[in-house]
Amino acid sequence: MGKINLLSSKIYNRIAAGEVVERPASVVKELIENSIDAGSKNITIEIQNGGISSIKIIDDGSGIERDDLRNAIMPHATSKISKIDDLYNIQTLGFRGEALSSIASVSKLSIASKPKEQEIGASIYTEGGDNAEICDDSIAKGTCIIVKNLFYNTPAREKFLRSAKTEENEISATIARFILGNSNIAFNYFADSKNILQSFGDGFESAFACVYGASVIKDCYYINAQKNGININGYVGKPHYSKPNKSYQIVFLNGRFVQNQTISSSIANAYAPYLMKRQYPFYVLNITMPSDSIDCNVHPNKIDVRFINNQIIYGALYSVLNKVLDGNRDALNIVVECNNQQSKSIKTLSEYVTHNNGDGAFRETFKFDTLVFNDSGIKKEEVVDDIFVQNKAYLQSLEQTPTNKYQQQSIKIEKDLKLVGQALNTFLILEDGTDLYLIDQHAAHERILFDKFMGQIDKRSVEVQPMLLPYVFSVTPEEAEFISSKSNTFEEIGLSINEFGVNTYKISSIPIFLQNVDFRIFISDLLSDLNALKSLTLTGLLKEKIAQKACKSAVKAGDKLSNENIEFLLGLLKGNLGLKCPHGRPVAVKISRMEIDKWFKRIV
Ligand code: ADP
Ligand code: MG
């Protein structure tokens, strides 16, 4: 007799529950997704004891018809797809028809529901999926689902539950993500009767403030970009606002929360030059793209997706974030767009640098940048926090200068600058007879070196240094193919990598900016994400290394500089105070005479 059994639906459900219902937070996730799919505008979540004792979700969505209640808790029962083709164009969050049946099999589940058209509501109750009875119910329009005693009949799973507090935190994080990803829906969430989170369904900014607090907005750029047919919109942390872990990285793809390697590595690489080791970017991004270029049916939790073309999404994210963080020419085009608002800018700018908040302390004025991107450049809706916006000559020169990706735009000070001195061994103070300028000596030098190295790459005139001992390394055949295909590019940037046996290479000379680099790390960085790499130019990648080298070689904050050295540095700067260091910090800050007069109440 054969040994292969066809499993009963009861056993099958338990197996599926193992995948879908990992812990209370996964139940909350599945139920909220169902409420959203049902078109709800208000969703209330109440949990007891970390969701282990009880999870209750009330929505005002389309409801489940009385006759469908029994089907809803059957495996593979879904109203969302009916034919194979539907799988390739999924518009809802759920589609597997597994969640309710899985949850029913490992808990005591009740569903009460009333579609608008149905006169009286109905409910169904089941323990472990058995003996489902249907009764009348007085519920108003919508659905109320209560999940009690999760895993009461699966002790093995119950053992894996963590403390109620940990489970509660996981649920809170899940709900926060729903709030951010569904800002048109009002959520209200209670844990053990305490109101933990509440949103109002009145837009993304409000939802963001509800989750992170309104004060975080000023530490972020709001971006809205279209690139390669992909729309990228949301908050990204300014470089100073980094986080010690990756839990502040939230991405919604076509409304669905996803964790995807291509997306996260693209953003991480764009931020890499700006962040210290073990610091991670903060972001909440909504990405939308045609649903037929994504395959959602990859992961049982539907949390990962596959792209038909990884490079398109990688490239779009990388290039948009790179522009934002770099503050390069593209980002500064924004200022050109602001030209017609010049008078408004000046007013705001004089308020910007510092302002007296009444108790004698000077605080940075709240200023929030809204960047609007599109393929043809970047527009800025709000006034930028660049203190030089009012420099008309600069604005005009911007329009005339040819594009150079790595070159910052010049802001030339027309009048002669006179050195007042060095303060705190860190800042150079200059004046032009009218206004005062503070220059960050490290940022300035760093930028000069960075421009020099990048200039060498652009002009293909890299200073090369032979290595005393060649560095030899081995790679996989796929990596070998990549290196061989790029050998010309490596050569152009002064990196000579030659074959040295089967799948083995040696580096015998290096560009000067890679001096003192740990090659073991450099090579593994370089090859860490081959797919991603193929869509980038090598110079883009090397930029990070170059920025590091510039940073290391530049004078430091705290270095006492001789007058000779200061003059030398200022000579290199050529009066160009509009630069930002490669990490995006400004090189110079202008304090207007008017501002200073205000501090001393000479004018009001
Ligand atoms: P799926 O969401 O993959 O279709 P589920 O097991 O999560 O499968 O749900 C089964 C079906 O029950 C759904 O297709 C939907 O028709 C119905 N349903 C579940 N929850 C709700 C709800 N809150 N409001 C309306 N219908 C619901
Ligand atoms: Mg579902």
Side-chain angles (χ1 to χ4, degrees):
M1 208 171 97
K3 291 186 181 141
I4 298 178
N5 301 318
L6 285 180
L7 296 179
S8 73
S9 67
K10 192 157 180 174
I11 301 181
Y12 172 82
N13 279 343
R14 289 275 179 94
I15 295 173
E19 283 181 353
V20 182
V21 190
E22 235 174 322
R23 51 199 297 193
S26 23
V27 173
V28 170
K29 171 181 175 284
E30 293 293 338
L31 296 182
I32 295 182
E33 285 191 350
N34 282 345
S35 296
I36 294 173
D37 283 344
S40 308
K41 287 285 154 232
N42 292 280
I43 302 175
T44 300
I45 306 105
E46 295 169 19
I47 63 160
Q48 300 288 334
N49 187 33
I52 302 161
S53 308
S54 167
I55 295 168
K56 181 175 182 182
I57 313 245
I58 307 158
D59 70 42
D60 59 355
S62 58
I64 307 170
E65 284 174 33
R66 187 186 185 102
D67 293 344
D68 271 342
L69 277 175
R70 220 181 283 275
N71 277 344
I73 56 170
M74 299 290 283
H76 305 302
T78 178
S79 56
K80 297 166 193 173
I81 55 174
S82 58
K83 51 186 193 302
I84 291 265
D85 282 352
D86 296 344
L87 262 186
Y88 300 99
N89 188 15
I90 287 164
Q91 307 286 346
T92 52
L93 297 166
F95 57 86
R96 290 167 174 264
E98 269 175 359
L100 282 185
S101 61
S102 305
I103 295 167
S105 74
V106 292
S107 71
K108 300 176 181 173
L109 172 79
S110 80
I111 307 175
S113 195
K114 184 179 114 52
K116 200 165 69 202
E117 315 67 46
Q118 198 174 289
E119 217 167 294
I120 308 171
S123 68
I124 188 168
Y125 177 75
T126 157
E127 294 191 5
D130 293 331
N131 301 331
E133 277 305 316
I134 295 180
C135 320
D136 284 349
D137 196 285
S138 60
I139 182 174
K141 181 201 169 226
T143 303
C144 170
I145 298 191
I146 304 175
V147 179
K148 288 210 151 130
N149 303 61
L150 189 61
F151 301 136
Y152 80 103
N153 56 354
T154 45
R157 266 235 155 226
E158 203 177 9
K159 274 200 211 106
F160 281 99
L161 286 172
R162 287 184 267 163
S163 73
K165 195 69 205 165
T166 309
E167 298 297 347
E168 179 190 317
N169 289 342
E170 190 68 26
I171 292 176
S172 307
T174 304
I175 294 175
R177 289 197 289 264
F178 277 110
I179 291 178
L180 293 166
N182 301 274
S183 55
N184 56 337
I185 297 176
F187 289 87
N188 206 356
Y189 161 52
F190 300 82
D192 297 321
S193 306
K194 197 167 149 222
N195 196 186
I196 309 286
L197 283 169
Q198 180 169 19
S199 74
F200 304 94
D202 56 353
F204 184 56
E205 186 177 345
S206 161
F208 183 87
C210 147
V211 172
Y212 293 111
S215 64
V216 175
I217 288 176
K218 73 172 188 313
D219 293 313
C220 296
Y221 294 110
Y222 180 75
I223 62 170
N224 186 11
Q226 284 85 41
K227 183 92 191 163
N228 304 344
I230 299 171
N231 190 293
I232 303 163
N233 139 298
Y235 290 99
V236 298
K238 294 181 181 173
H240 73 267
Y241 192 69
S242 56
K243 291 288 174 184
N245 60 57
K246 295 185 183 170
S247 52
Y248 296 84
Q249 307 188 341
I250 295 187
V251 173
F252 300 99
L253 183 66
N254 292 353
R256 185 195 295 276
F257 171 73
V258 295
Q259 285 176 323
N260 173 271
Q261 183 66 32
T262 304
I263 293 178
S264 60
S265 65
S266 152
I267 302 177
N269 282 339
Y271 267 94
Y274 304 94
L275 299 183
M276 316 269 261
K277 282 258 174 306
R278 281 179 286 284
Q279 290 289 307
Y280 301 91
F282 170 97
Y283 51 84
V284 182
L285 286 176
N286 295 298
I287 301 174
T288 45
M289 58 195 287
S291 58
D292 59 4
S293 49
I294 309 166
D295 180 2
C296 306
N297 194 11
V298 181
H299 190 282
N301 282 339
K302 298 163 282 183
I303 220 162
D304 198 3
V305 289
R306 247 195 311 249
F307 296 103
I308 307 291
N309 187 338
N310 272 333
Q311 290 166 23
I312 291 183
I313 175 91
Y314 187 100
L317 274 168
Y318 185 89
S319 95
V320 165
L321 287 170
N322 191 37
K323 280 176 192 166
V324 177
L325 298 169
D326 200 34
N328 68 16
R329 183 189 154 78
D330 286 334
L332 287 175
N333 275 339
I334 301 155
V335 179
V336 180
E337 303 279 338
C338 280
N339 205 2
N340 50 7
Q341 300 178 3
Q342 220 180 342
S343 55
K344 184 179 158 213
S345 319
I346 294 168
K347 187 167 161 285
T348 324
L349 288 168
S350 65
E351 287 162 7
Y352 175 70
V353 180
T354 53
H355 86 130
N356 190 332
N357 68 358
D359 58 13
F362 291 104
R363 294 235 182 98
E364 199 182 73
T365 309
F366 175 85
K367 198 90 214 62
F368 166 46
D369 299 351
T370 304
L371 300 177
V372 178
F373 291 78
N374 55 38
D375 265 343
S376 57
I378 304 165
K379 280 184 280 164
K380 188 135 189 171
E381 288 186 339
E382 278 290 311
V383 177
V384 276
D385 61 357
D386 186 327
I387 54 156
F388 294 101
V389 184
Q390 74 271 47
N391 189 324
K392 199 155 182 254
Y394 158 54
L395 294 176
Q396 283 160 352
S397 78
L398 255 187
E399 283 164 317
Q400 289 151 11
T401 326
T403 314
N404 178 342
K405 198 156 174 270
Y406 301 108
Q407 204 102 50
Q408 299 266 344
Q409 285 309 306
S410 317
I411 298 176
K412 285 275 169 49
I413 303 302
E414 300 301 331
K415 295 183 216 161
D416 275 348
L417 287 172
K418 197 176 107 223
L419 179 68
V420 179
Q422 186 194 25
L424 308 173
N425 288 342
T426 301
F427 305 104
L428 311 179
I429 305 177
L430 303 142
E431 63 154 288
D432 64 2
T434 328
D435 299 310
L436 217 54
Y437 300 85
L438 287 180
I439 294 180
D440 180 321
Q441 64 190 36
H442 173 71
H445 197 200
E446 200 181 358
R447 183 73 220 185
I448 291 165
L449 292 174
F450 180 78
D451 283 348
K452 178 176 140 197
F453 297 141
M454 289 310 288
Q456 289 179 358
I457 286 190
D458 281 350
K459 292 200 218 85
R460 306 275 183 259
S461 61
V462 180
E463 277 177 75
V464 174
Q465 194 185 45
M467 291 186 54
L468 280 179
L469 275 179
Y471 177 79
V472 175
F473 61 97
S474 299
V475 292
T476 65
E478 194 200 359
E479 291 165 341
E481 197 188 312
F482 170 76
I483 294 176
S484 297
S485 72
K486 290 280 183 192
S487 66
N488 279 348
T489 324
F490 284 126
E491 210 65 55
E492 277 172 5
I493 57 161
L495 190 62
S496 123
I497 304 186
N498 297 308
E499 257 186 282
F500 192 65
V502 180
N503 295 336
T504 303
Y505 287 84
K506 75 168 186 207
I507 301 179
S508 45
S509 65
I510 54 167
I512 214 109
F513 51 77
L514 288 183
Q515 230 177 3
N516 306 329
V517 156
D518 181 335
F519 277 98
R520 209 166 37 86
I521 298 174
F522 177 70
I523 295 295
S524 76
D525 268 7
L526 200 70
L527 299 174
S528 64
D529 196 347
L530 265 194
N531 276 338
L533 239 176
K534 286 175 190 156
S535 68
L536 281 182
T537 62
L538 268 174
T539 39
L541 260 156
L542 281 170
K543 224 173 126 180
E544 178 194 352
K545 297 289 163 210
I546 294 169
Q548 278 168 6
K549 170 73 180 167
C551 181
K552 282 217 182 88
S553 316
V555 295
K556 303 276 170 305
D559 286 352
K560 173 116 192 82
L561 299 186
S562 66
N563 272 357
E564 222 179 357
N565 281 338
I566 294 178
E567 292 298 346
F568 181 68
L569 187 59
L570 292 176
L572 291 174
L573 207 54
K574 301 191 191 89
N576 185 354
L577 302 187
L579 299 175
K580 288 197 170 126
C581 83
H583 304 100
R585 291 190 297 111
V587 160
V589 165
K590 172 179 171 179
I591 304 169
S592 69
R593 170 69 192 248
M594 194 169 78
E595 198 61 37
I596 300 173
D597 282 343
K598 271 200 202 157
W599 297 348
F600 291 100
K601 307 266 184 260
R602 287 172 162 271
I603 53 171
V604 277

